[in-house]
Amino acid sequence: MQSSQPQPARVRIVDAAHQLMHTIGLARATTKEIAKAAGCSEAALYKHFASKEDLFVTVLKERLPQLGPLVERLTAEPGERSVEENLTDIARQAALFYAESFPIAASLYADPQLKRRHDEALRELGSGPHVPIEGVDAYLRAERRAGRIDADADTYAAACLLLGACAQRAFAYDMTESGVPPQGLEEFARGVARTVLRGVG
């Protein structure tokens, strides 16, 4: 039986970054540690990624549950299914995304100087936690133009409420005895979608 081919350096780097960022946090996952875990030099890492922030954004896009492509597709094709079904899909995917991304990014808040540098780098990359809110807002505005939600619906507030609930779910129950939310993911996603939909029509 032939041995499997080694993964390309870029794949190994992203895998190592995902693992380290998830286990020790973004703040402590240095490019040196990531390169070591990937079995390459730090110089090789920088051939593929301009910075640790660039690598972080890549991990979000390539290793975590994807929210952006879903919202972009729904925005481009409003009316394909019911608004409630679409919002349920968004809530489900957002809950999964935040559950994965929060443990990675939480350590930034312990170091204000590092967080400031990280925020500046993400702004240059056109990324950040505001992007999903803007995406869901754009989707709801498309549904408003299509006449499927109220003409005076506050789409930005609805997007904040939907994603805020999903983000809250990601960490609110860590300190409870069970460590898990009282509702399963599907029940939660459907409930949040229905509740938001009542607010927008």
Side-chain angles (χ1 to χ4, degrees):
M1 181 176 176
Q2 292 183 342
S3 60
S4 59
Q5 293 294 318
Q7 293 284 351
R10 185 186 182 282
V11 174
R12 298 199 316 273
I13 292 166
V14 176
D15 285 343
H18 181 209
Q19 177 66 22
L20 285 173
M21 288 175 181
H22 195 270
T23 55
I24 65 175
L26 182 59
R28 292 178 58 200
T30 64
T31 52
K32 183 177 181 180
E33 288 295 324
I34 293 168
K36 181 180 177 183
C40 66
S41 67
E42 199 171 3
L45 182 150
Y46 281 111
K47 287 181 180 177
H48 296 279
F49 303 98
S51 63
K52 186 170 82 169
E53 288 74 23
D54 183 22
L55 184 49
F56 169 64
V57 171
T58 301
V59 167
L60 294 183
K61 290 180 177 178
E62 298 183 10
R63 295 296 183 273
L64 270 60
Q66 290 302 293
L67 179 59
L70 169 64
V71 174
E72 288 171 8
R73 179 177 60 78
L74 295 176
T75 302
E77 302 171 356
E80 186 176 310
R81 299 184 307 157
S82 73
V83 178
E84 183 174 334
E85 287 176 305
N86 291 340
L87 290 177
T88 299
D89 282 354
I90 292 171
R92 182 190 305 112
Q93 202 70 358
L96 291 170
F97 173 80
Y98 288 123
E100 288 281 325
S101 62
F102 266 26
I104 292 174
S107 61
L108 283 175
Y109 289 85
D111 187 336
Q113 190 173 20
L114 179 61
K115 185 177 183 304
R116 188 164 50 251
R117 291 200 306 270
H118 177 78
D119 290 347
E120 289 171 357
L122 286 189
R123 276 193 291 272
E124 290 178 6
L125 292 167
S127 187
H130 63 287
V131 173
I133 298 173
E134 292 175 352
V136 176
D137 180 30
Y139 160 67
L140 289 170
R141 282 187 279 113
E143 294 288 16
R144 188 174 61 189
R145 288 192 298 272
R148 301 214 305 164
I149 62 175
D150 288 348
D152 61 350
D154 188 334
T155 57
Y156 176 75
C160 290
L161 289 168
L162 179 71
L163 294 181
C166 297
Q168 182 76 1
R169 186 179 190 271
F171 74 92
Y173 292 93
D174 283 350
M175 296 181 191
T176 62
E177 188 173 341
S178 67
V180 296
Q183 292 180 322
L185 178 60
E186 290 303 315
E187 184 182 1
F188 166 79
R190 288 194 302 270
V192 169
R194 283 194 301 267
T195 301
V196 169
L197 185 56
R198 289 191 191 107
V200 294

